[in-house]
């Protein structure tokens, strides 16, 4: 064998690892020899080669206690704590001495964060050998410390040092305890003494760096110490991680990137490596790369709070608030003490308008002994959004006490006081802050207040003050223009918008406003010229290109012209997502599935990891009938967004189209793992369970909805509907009655009445409906239900009574008027056409209402008017076969038998595809 072969070098094998493989392949077949070889590798810190030898030995004899112990030790040293624990427990089962196994087993459990299990299992373990005792007691001290049991941690550490006063891991832990107790100098002195005796102790160098960085704020010196740790152990991940983190903290991204490359060489596929790769992209403001990397990080470490926080921050920056909320919620669940994650989650809730959730998320932080200024400001904003100005003021006041010079906090407090009615003093404070602070927060607040009060002249003066602070920025000119628009001074507004563009020619808010004014003046060509003038100077401006697309679409351009403009936007900005999405949507809307698919495929080829484009591709594939490819696309989308709901809902829909109900159910359950109260998924699962006749499963889901939403009717309606599907009327009635006790909803009342009637309990049904109407005299929904039920029974008098009562409660109820018109016509009473005309006036261009009006006019022998309305209805719904049947009736009534026969012949050709064939035949015979 040629060891210098380039094949071996390219594979990246260490010489010792290669030797181990060669030995295993070339006849090292005695377990004792393999065991001895493994010990040699462990002595040289070559755990990979040791693992190979030990596994080979265990293949020969699986019950070698020492081999199990050494394999556990080798796996642990190689970073596989789970595998290490497994093998060490097997070693104990094969009676390997506890003196050897217990310390290593405790370390393996400690590395997995099983702190309580370590103390439960080993707190009473007595070892006779000093080194073993020191090792185990050090692990116990660390485990107790992680659980916040300080006294027990100190006691275990004392026991470790009593067993072996020079035991380095115990001394390192003692130094950590000193640092945690703010004895920085004592901790540093102890670490220095350790390094004097054992200068190659990588953990001691790492701890020294931590103390220098966090205890003495000496970043450069800390980095030197971290690099010493890496010199001592090249694959020491905490050393690499600390170095990169410190460099990033110093904003030294170039050095951080170099250090990251070193980390990639020793740990290319570890979560820490992907974390820093993602964090560095985020710090460099390469947000596209950061968004691509974040899902990969989450897949590698789905429960790591730091990674979840980083992914949440990236999505928050991209204004992808739902995805940010998913990541940050899980980050807070896994690390409730993380102030950063909690604050960003609260900001996400506030930005998305979920102020109640923001307050709930804040409560643990507000119960802390010390509430910092940032948290106080967030609390103030949350209370303000919830309408509690008094509590908001309380927290803004706390923020100012923590940071008296913070203009933002002072401005927030003044605004809160303004909302509380203390206008003069609060407004005076705002003006004072605006005058004294070089920032613009207070100026913007003053301008906002004036605009809310419609004191436009005062707002203009405040804008003048803002402009003095920012003479070279377009903001003030843009605000002045908007204020002049509010005063209906369109000419002045135009001048100010143009002034903003003079200051900054590409300032899009002003440009877009001028184009909107052009559109209002019915001068779309003027707007187009403005946009094209900007594009002549900046042909790749994505906002302006898309504004031109919108303008042309609004001014009546054909779809082909809009598609051409979007193609232009894509050509000049191939990495922009939005124009590609708009073009896919345009083709899908026009039922051009092939074109949509081509555009989506090109988009994903150009931007492979965009979840939005993958979603568009999946929909285009479905529209083209390629369900299997759509499933593959949605699966990739789910991989890229491990905490997103939409991919799993899309997958469920696609699996249903493919008639793979098991896969659809699996996707829906995955969505529910991410959001247990997701109604769309719950309802779909109930539907699947009913199709499979798994009725108890459907009931279980319905009752889960009831627990989650006890004051909503849906869960009770769904439970009852399961029994309705089985025609178990009494059980269904019981479910609806129980629901009515929790939520007195008209829908539940209607369902209860329906099942009573269906089970033949007409007297009980009548008694219930009378009682409900008496107790709920303004309930239009239940009355509408009674009208519909009467229509089904062809009890037109009862239907008329019910729909009349609905119209008395809700005079503008279009559906009630339409049904009342129809039933009044059936009863040959006057007023039917008037009801239909009123419904049509309230809801123009509604085919169903037009059809009703047409049929009523036909009955009154007004053929021309009837034909006009029926043709309008068919123009809106050309495939509606009942409308075609009604058109035939109108022709027949009007004496146009040939026209009637033509429509009926077409319907007759449909056969069983049209359920009203009996009526078609009867009409044909009558002609």
């Amino acid at each position: 064998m040629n060891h210098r072969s380039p094949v071996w070098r390219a594979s990246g094998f260490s010489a010792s690892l290669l030797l181990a493989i060669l030995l295993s392949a070339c006849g090292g077949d005695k377990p004792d020899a393999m065991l001895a070889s493994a010990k040699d590798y462990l002595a040289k810190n070559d755990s990979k080669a040791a693992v190979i030898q030990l596994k080979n030995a265990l293949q020969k004899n699986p019950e070698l206690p020492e081999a199990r112990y050494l394999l556990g030790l080798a796996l642990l040293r190689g970073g596989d704590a789970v595998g290490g624990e497994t093998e060490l427990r097997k070693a104990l089962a094969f009676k390997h001495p506890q003196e050897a196994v217990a310390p290593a087993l405790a370390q393996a459990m400690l590395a997995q964060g099983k702190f309580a299990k370590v103390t439960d299992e080993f707190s009473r373990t007595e070892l006779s050998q000093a080194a073993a005792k020191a090792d185990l007691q050090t692990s116990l001290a660390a485990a107790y410390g992680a659980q916040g049991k300080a006294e027990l941690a100190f006691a275990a550490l004392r026991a470790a040092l009593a067993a072996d006063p020079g035991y380095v891991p115990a001394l390192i832990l003692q130094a950590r305890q000193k640092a945690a107790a703010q004895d920085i100098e004592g901790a540093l002195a102890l670490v220095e003494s350790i390094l004097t005796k054992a200068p190659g102790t990588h953990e001691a160098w790492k701890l020294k760096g931590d103390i220098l960085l966090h205890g003495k704020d000496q970043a450069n010196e800390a980095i030197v110490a971290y690099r010493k740790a890496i010199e001592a152990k090249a694959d020491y991940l905490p050393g690499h991680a600390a170095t990169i983190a410190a460099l990033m903290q110093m904003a030294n991204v170039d050095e951080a990137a170099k250090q990251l490359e070193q980390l990639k060489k020793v740990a290319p596929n570890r979560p820490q490596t992907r974390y820093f790769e993602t964090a560095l992209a985020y710090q460099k403001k390469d947000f596209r790369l950061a968004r691509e990397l974040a899902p990969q990080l989450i897949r590698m470490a789905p429960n790591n709070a730091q990674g979840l926080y980083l992914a949440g921050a990236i999505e928050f920056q991209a204004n992808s608030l739902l995805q940010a909320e998913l990541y940050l919620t899980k980050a807070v669940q896994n690390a409730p003490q993380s102030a950063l994650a909690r604050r960003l989650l609260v900001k996400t809730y506030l930005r998305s308008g979920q102020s109640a959730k923001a307050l709930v998320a804040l409560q643990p932080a507000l119960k802390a002994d010390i509430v910092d200024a940032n948290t106080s400001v967030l609390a103030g904003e949350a209370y303000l959004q919830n309408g509690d100005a008094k509590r908001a003021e309380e927290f803004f006041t706390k923020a100012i006490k923590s940071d008296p010079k913070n203009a933002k906090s002072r401005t927030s407090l003044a605004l809160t006081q303004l909302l509380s009615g203390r206008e003069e003093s609060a407004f005076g404070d705002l003006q004072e802050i605006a005058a004294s602070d070089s920032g613009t927060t207070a100026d913007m607040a003053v301008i906002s207040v004036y605009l809310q009060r419609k004191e436009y002249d005062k707002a203009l003066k405040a804008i003048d003050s803002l402009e003095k602070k920012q003479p070279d920025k377009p903001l003030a000119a843009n605000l002045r223009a908007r204020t002049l628009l509010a005063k209906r001074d369109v000419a002045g507004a135009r001048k100010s918008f143009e002034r903003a563009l003079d200051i900054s020619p590409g300032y899009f808010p002003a440009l877009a406003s001028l184009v909107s004014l052009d559109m209002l003046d019915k001068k779309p060509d003027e707007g187009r010229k403005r946009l094209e003038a900007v594009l002549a100077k900046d042909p790749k401006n994505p906002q302006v290109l898309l504004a031109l697309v919108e303008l042309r679409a609004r001014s009546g351009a054909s779809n082909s012209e809009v598609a051409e403009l979007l193609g232009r936007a894509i050509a000049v900005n191939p990495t922009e997502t939005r124009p590609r999405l708009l073009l896919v949507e345009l083709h899908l809307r026009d039922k051009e599935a092939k074109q949509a698919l081509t555009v989506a495929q090109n988009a994903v080829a150009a931007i492979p990891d965009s979840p939005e484009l993958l979603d568009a591709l999946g929909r285009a594939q479905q529209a083209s009938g390629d369900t299997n490819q759509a499933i593959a696309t949605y699966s990739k989308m789910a991989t890229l967004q491990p905490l997103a709901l939409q991919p799993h809902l899309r997958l469920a829909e696609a699996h249903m189209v493919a008639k793979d109900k098991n896969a659809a159910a699996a996707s829906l359950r995955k969505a529910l793992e991410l959001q247990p109260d997701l109604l769309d998924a719950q309802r779909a699962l109930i539907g699947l369970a009913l199709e499979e006749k798994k009725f108890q499963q459907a009931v279980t889901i319905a009752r889960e909805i009831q627990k989650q939403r006890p004051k909503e009717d849906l869960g009770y309606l769904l439970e009852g509907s399961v029994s309705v599907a089985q025609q178990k009327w009494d059980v269904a009635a019981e479910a609806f009655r129980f629901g009515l006790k929790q939520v007195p909803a008209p829908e539940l009342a209607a369902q209860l009445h329906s099942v009573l009637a269906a089970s033949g309990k007409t007297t009980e049904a009548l008694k219930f409906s009378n009682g409900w109407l008496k107790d709920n005299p303004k309930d239009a929904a239940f009355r509408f239900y009674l009208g519909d039920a009467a229509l089904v029974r062809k009890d037109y008098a009862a239907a008329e009574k019910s729909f009349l009562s609905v119209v008395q409660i809700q005079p503008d109820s279009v559906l009630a008027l339409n049904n009342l018109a129809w039933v009044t016509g059936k009863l040959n009473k006057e007023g039917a056409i008037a009801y239909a005309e009123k419904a049509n006036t309230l809801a123009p261009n509604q085919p169903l209402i037009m059809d009703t009006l047409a049929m009523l006019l036909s009955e009154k022998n007004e053929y021309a008017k009837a034909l006009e309305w029926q043709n309008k209805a068919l123009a809106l719904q050309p495939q509606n076969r009942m409308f075609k049947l009604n058109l035939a009736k109108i022709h027949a009534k009007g004496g146009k038998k040939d026209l009637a026969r033509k429509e009926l012949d077409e319907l007759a050709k449909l056969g069983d595809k049209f359920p009203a064939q009996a009526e078609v035949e009867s009409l044909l015979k009558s002609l």
Side-chain angles (χ1 to χ4, degrees):
M1 296 183 183
N2 182 358
H3 289 202
R4 291 174 295 173
S5 164
V7 175
W8 295 117
R9 290 207 311 271
S11 300
F13 284 91
S14 68
S16 57
L17 185 55
L18 174 56
L19 180 59
I21 294 171
L22 291 173
L23 283 172
S24 67
C26 300
D29 57 352
K30 292 184 179 180
D32 289 346
M34 294 176 187
L35 208 58
S37 175
K39 289 178 182 178
D40 288 339
Y41 287 125
L42 283 173
K44 296 173 186 175
N45 289 320
D46 193 344
S47 57
K48 290 180 181 177
V51 166
I52 291 172
Q53 289 294 74
L54 291 163
K55 286 185 176 179
N56 287 331
L58 286 166
Q59 279 184 346
K60 301 288 183 181
N61 184 355
E63 298 184 5
L64 282 174
E66 188 177 14
R68 290 290 177 193
Y69 162 67
L70 291 173
L71 179 56
L73 203 60
L75 290 169
L76 177 59
R77 290 183 185 178
D80 183 1
V82 176
E85 181 185 355
T86 301
E87 294 301 327
L88 290 166
R89 290 199 180 281
K90 288 179 182 178
L92 276 180
F94 290 132
K95 308 299 183 186
H96 196 69
Q98 189 181 40
E99 292 278 341
V101 179
L105 182 56
Q107 285 183 35
M109 295 166 68
L110 198 63
Q112 298 173 68
K114 297 179 178 180
F115 307 120
K117 288 186 177 180
V118 170
T119 53
D120 289 346
E121 188 167 342
F122 295 110
S123 60
R124 295 180 180 83
T125 300
E126 291 293 336
L127 302 177
S128 58
Q129 295 176 8
K133 184 174 183 178
D135 191 339
L136 181 60
Q137 289 296 325
T138 301
S139 292
L140 283 167
Y144 280 128
Q147 295 174 73
K149 299 177 180 179
E151 289 186 11
L152 291 171
F154 282 123
L157 184 59
R158 284 195 296 271
L161 290 170
D164 184 352
Y167 186 58
V168 170
L171 291 170
I172 290 173
L173 184 56
Q174 187 179 36
R176 288 189 192 282
Q177 288 183 349
K178 286 179 179 291
Q182 298 302 308
D183 182 3
I184 303 301
E185 296 302 332
L188 195 55
L190 183 52
V191 171
E192 293 287 10
S193 70
I194 295 168
L195 289 170
T196 300
K197 296 173 185 175
T201 308
H202 57 278
E203 289 182 323
W205 282 114
K206 164 67 167 54
L207 179 55
K208 180 179 179 179
D210 290 344
I211 295 169
L212 289 170
L213 182 64
H214 303 295
K216 298 177 76 70
D217 197 23
Q218 296 176 359
N220 289 320
E221 292 83 349
I223 290 170
V224 171
Y226 292 145
R227 284 180 166 156
K228 287 279 189 183
I230 297 168
E231 285 175 21
K233 192 174 190 296
D235 61 350
Y236 183 46
L237 290 186
H240 286 281
T243 310
I244 297 169
L247 289 166
M248 288 176 64
Q249 190 175 332
M250 296 167 67
N252 191 344
V253 291
D254 291 337
E255 282 298 312
K258 290 178 184 176
Q259 192 68 44
L260 178 60
E261 290 307 312
Q262 288 189 37
L263 179 58
K264 286 181 179 179
K265 290 176 184 176
V266 297
N269 299 311
R270 296 293 289 273
Q272 294 96 322
T273 308
R274 187 53 48 83
Y275 171 82
F276 283 110
E277 191 177 6
T278 309
L280 196 58
Y282 182 66
Q283 188 164 1
K284 286 180 174 179
K285 300 190 185 305
D286 188 349
F287 299 122
R288 181 185 168 199
L289 177 59
R291 286 192 86 188
E292 288 175 8
L293 293 171
Q296 300 172 34
L297 169 64
I298 300 304
R299 284 197 302 276
M300 295 174 79
N303 296 310
N304 182 273
Q306 267 188 305
L308 289 162
Y309 167 73
L310 176 59
I314 291 166
E315 294 299 325
F316 182 84
Q317 186 281 330
N319 207 34
S320 177
L321 299 181
L322 178 60
Q323 189 65 26
E325 181 184 337
L326 291 170
Y327 285 134
L328 293 166
T329 300
K330 196 168 181 183
V332 171
Q333 287 171 351
N334 290 341
Q337 75 285 354
S338 173
L340 284 173
R342 189 174 296 280
R343 279 205 298 265
L344 190 55
L345 176 61
V346 171
K347 287 180 182 178
T348 302
Y349 284 142
L350 291 175
R351 185 182 286 186
S352 58
Q354 301 179 79
S355 54
K357 280 188 174 182
L359 275 181
V360 171
L362 263 175
Q363 291 312 307
L366 298 181
K367 291 174 183 176
D369 294 335
I370 299 174
V371 179
D372 61 60
N374 290 328
T375 302
S376 293
V377 169
L378 273 179
E381 291 174 1
Y383 278 112
L384 203 54
Q385 276 199 24
N386 275 280
D388 190 342
K390 184 178 179 182
R391 292 301 307 279
E393 181 178 346
E394 175 188 330
F395 280 100
F396 286 135
T397 303
K398 285 182 180 179
I400 291 170
K401 286 179 181 177
S402 301
D403 186 2
K405 295 183 180 180
N406 189 308
K408 183 179 179 182
S409 298
R410 291 168 63 204
T411 302
S412 298
L413 177 61
L415 284 170
T416 306
Q417 291 171 337
L418 191 70
L419 291 171
S420 301
R422 282 168 280 170
E423 295 191 9
E424 295 309 316
S425 62
F427 201 55
D429 287 344
L430 281 174
Q431 291 172 317
E432 181 188 335
I433 297 164
S436 61
D437 180 35
S438 60
T440 60
T441 304
D443 296 86
M444 294 299 294
V446 170
I447 293 165
S448 175
V449 170
Y450 279 137
L451 290 174
Q452 286 175 4
R453 293 177 172 182
K454 298 185 179 180
E455 296 177 4
Y456 300 125
D457 291 334
K458 291 181 180 179
L460 289 169
K461 287 183 180 179
I463 291 168
D464 290 340
S465 299
L466 174 65
E467 191 168 37
K468 288 175 184 176
K469 291 183 179 181
Q470 295 184 330
D472 58 342
K473 293 185 178 179
L475 176 62
N478 192 63
L479 284 171
R480 184 180 291 108
R482 293 195 168 281
T483 307
L484 291 170
L485 275 180
K487 292 185 70 176
R488 302 184 186 281
D489 182 357
V490 177
R494 276 187 176 277
K495 288 181 181 178
S496 287
F497 283 134
E498 286 165 356
R499 167 66 181 151
L501 289 176
D502 287 340
I503 296 169
S504 178
Y507 186 61
F508 186 73
L511 177 64
S513 297
L514 281 170
V515 172
S516 294
L517 289 176
D518 292 333
M519 293 293 290
L520 287 172
D521 290 345
K522 298 183 179 179
K523 296 178 179 178
D525 287 342
E526 291 295 320
R528 178 178 54 79
K529 288 176 184 177
R530 288 182 195 279
L531 295 171
E532 288 177 345
V534 175
L535 287 173
K537 296 176 182 177
D538 184 9
K540 294 186 178 183
N541 189 309
Q543 284 182 304
V544 178
L545 279 165
L546 291 180
L548 183 60
V549 169
E550 184 183 354
L551 182 145
R552 296 300 298 134
R554 286 173 56 192
S555 54
S558 65
N559 283 352
S560 60
E561 184 183 342
V562 173
E564 184 182 344
L565 284 169
L566 285 169
R568 178 182 164 191
I570 292 166
V572 296
N573 287 296
T575 59
E576 282 286 328
T577 301
R578 189 158 176 258
R580 294 181 184 273
L581 283 173
L582 289 173
L583 188 53
V584 174
E585 296 292 349
L586 179 70
H587 288 310
L588 287 175
R589 205 164 46 243
D590 290 344
K591 311 292 184 187
E592 297 171 342
K594 287 185 179 179
Q595 292 94 321
L597 182 59
T598 300
V599 174
Q601 287 171 333
N602 292 337
V604 171
I607 312 170
D609 292 329
S610 165
E612 297 89 351
L613 290 176
L614 285 168
D615 181 60
L617 175 59
R619 288 185 288 117
Q621 287 164 334
Q622 275 192 270
S624 302
D626 197 343
T627 306
N628 290 334
Q629 281 298 318
I631 289 169
T633 298
Y634 293 142
S635 297
K636 183 178 179 182
M637 186 177 157
T639 302
L640 284 171
Q641 292 184 300
L643 297 183
L645 298 167
Q646 190 179 47
H648 301 293
L649 296 177
R650 295 281 198 212
L651 274 169
E653 181 186 346
H655 285 309
M656 286 297 291
V657 171
K659 302 188 184 307
D660 189 344
K661 294 178 183 177
N662 290 334
S667 292
L668 292 168
R669 284 193 291 270
K670 181 63 179 175
L672 285 174
E673 286 175 19
L674 296 169
Q675 185 179 321
D677 63 347
L678 185 63
L679 272 178
D680 287 345
Q682 290 169 319
R683 295 178 80 157
L685 277 172
I686 288 175
L688 284 171
L690 289 177
E691 284 186 33
E692 300 288 315
K693 300 192 183 303
K694 296 176 181 177
F695 300 116
Q696 189 52 50
Q697 188 180 104
V699 168
T700 300
I701 299 169
R703 287 180 179 170
E704 183 64 23
I705 295 172
Q706 293 168 20
K707 289 177 187 175
Q708 293 165 345
R709 304 166 188 269
K711 295 304 177 184
E712 295 180 25
D713 59 6
L714 182 61
Y716 310 106
L717 287 167
L718 288 170
E719 182 181 352
S721 70
V722 176
S723 297
V724 169
Q726 301 171 77
Q727 296 190 354
K728 293 182 177 179
W729 309 119
D730 290 344
V731 179
E734 185 181 346
F736 294 134
R737 280 198 181 94
F738 178 75
L740 279 169
K741 289 177 183 177
Q742 319 306 314
V743 191
E747 291 81 0
L748 284 166
Q751 289 298 321
L752 176 56
H753 183 273
S754 176
V755 296
L756 289 173
S759 61
K761 298 179 179 179
T762 52
T763 303
E764 189 176 347
L766 180 61
K767 181 181 177 182
F768 171 77
S769 63
N770 289 338
W772 181 266
L773 292 172
K774 181 181 178 182
D775 294 337
N776 301 275
K778 298 294 183 183
D779 183 356
F782 187 75
R783 286 171 165 78
F784 193 97
Y785 152 76
L786 289 176
D788 269 351
L791 280 179
V792 171
R793 301 192 308 270
K794 296 187 177 181
D795 185 348
Y796 300 131
E800 180 193 29
K801 181 181 177 183
S802 292
F803 290 129
L804 267 174
S805 66
V806 173
V807 170
Q808 287 168 357
I809 298 168
Q810 295 178 347
D812 293 340
S813 173
V814 172
L815 287 177
L817 285 165
N818 180 71
N819 290 3
L820 181 58
W822 191 84
V823 76
T824 304
K826 280 288 183 183
L827 292 170
N828 294 316
K829 290 187 176 182
E830 292 298 322
I833 291 176
Y835 288 134
E837 287 175 336
K838 183 177 179 181
N840 189 58
T841 302
L842 289 169
N845 299 317
Q846 295 300 312
L848 184 66
I849 297 168
M850 293 176 180
D851 175 71
T852 300
L853 178 57
M855 295 305 293
L856 291 170
L857 288 166
S858 179
E859 287 298 315
K860 292 292 184 181
N861 295 313
E862 295 189 35
Y863 173 69
K865 285 185 178 180
L867 184 62
E868 178 186 354
W869 283 110
Q870 196 64 24
N871 281 332
K872 284 181 179 180
L874 269 166
L876 291 168
Q877 288 186 2
Q879 302 305 316
N880 191 314
R881 291 158 183 169
M882 285 305 300
F883 287 179
K884 290 183 178 182
L885 177 60
N886 285 344
L887 177 61
K889 291 179 181 177
I890 291 169
H891 284 314
K893 180 79 172 172
K896 308 291 184 180
K897 294 184 178 182
D898 290 343
L899 293 175
R901 188 176 288 107
K902 179 183 176 183
E903 296 294 337
L904 293 169
D905 285 342
E906 285 187 17
L907 292 172
K909 291 175 184 177
L910 296 171
D912 293 342
K913 293 179 181 178
F914 183 50
Q917 284 297 343
E919 195 170 359
V920 171
E921 291 177 15
S922 175
L923 277 170
L924 280 169
K925 289 177 182 177
S926 69
L927 294 176

